[in-house]
Amino acid sequence: MPAVKSNRPVNLSMGQVLAVNLRSPVAIASILHRLSGVIVFLLIPVLLWILDKSLSSPEGFEYVKNVVFGNFFVRFIVWVFVAGLIFHFINGIKHLLADLGFAEELQSGRTAATISLILSVIGILAAFVWIMF
Ligand code: HEM
């Protein structure tokens, strides 16, 4: 038996977790930073294959240009990779600045998270137009 009885709630439902976290830009930026890191990591082989193919020969380059990038689904996957990288990079800079002591308090951290979310959305939408059309 623990010496002090804890009233700390355990086994929170996912609804409770989301209700709290979706109201916090810091929490949203944090989980998306982890998710984007994993997405970028998982898609690296696809991008490496495209790069390898495009550098293999002039025919390989034409193949990637016309056939690979001619495919809507491949362009979408490439956009997901670029979107993940944009998000991860911008929020990574925020993390590194916080490590240096910038915007690490509650209010400044919220502001930094909001700014990085807005910049990420702008960059990700621009990448969508660039890659998909
Ligand atoms: C191929 C490129 C990259 C991959 C696959 C990648 C992947 C990851 C993953 C999986 C994590 C762990 C996330 C977590 O557990 O919360 C992480 C953390 C981190 N990444 Fe990246 N990353 C990449 C590029 C970058 C770049 C370019 C930056 C610089 C802006 C960066 C900055 C960071 C930082 C600062 C963290 C630590 C975040 C923390 O302390 O919670 N990453 N990365």
Side-chain angles (χ1 to χ4, degrees):
M1 274 291 273
V4 180
K5 189 172 181 303
S6 168
N7 289 326
R8 192 164 163 257
V10 288
N11 297 334
L12 294 175
S13 73
M14 190 48 84
Q16 286 172 292
V17 173
L18 288 177
V20 172
N21 286 299
L22 287 180
R23 273 187 279 136
S24 161
V26 178
I28 295 171
S30 175
I31 191 62
L32 288 179
H33 187 245
R34 176 168 291 188
L35 186 67
S36 60
V38 173
I39 288 174
V40 168
F41 175 74
L42 291 178
L43 289 179
I44 283 176
V46 179
L47 272 291
L48 278 182
W49 179 83
I50 295 175
L51 179 66
D52 181 54
K53 187 82 187 156
S54 75
L55 295 176
S56 61
S57 64
E59 294 75 32
F61 179 80
E62 285 303 317
Y63 179 78
V64 166
K65 196 175 156 200
N66 299 324
V67 180
V68 177
F69 274 95
N71 185 312
F72 176 86
F73 182 68
V74 175
R75 286 206 306 280
F76 182 74
I77 296 291
V78 171
W79 171 70
V80 170
F81 175 86
V82 173
L85 201 55
I86 288 171
F87 189 91
H88 197 81
F89 180 76
I90 291 175
N91 281 268
I93 298 288
K94 179 181 82 71
H95 261 285
L96 297 177
L97 287 175
D99 287 347
L100 291 173
F102 295 102
E104 57 175 357
E105 295 82 19
L106 182 60
Q107 199 47 54
S108 59
R110 277 184 187 148
T111 306
T114 306
I115 291 172
S116 57
L117 285 170
I118 292 171
L119 290 179
S120 300
V121 168
I122 293 171
I124 288 168
L125 288 178
F128 186 81
V129 174
W130 176 46
I131 294 169
M132 298 303 289
F133 296 105

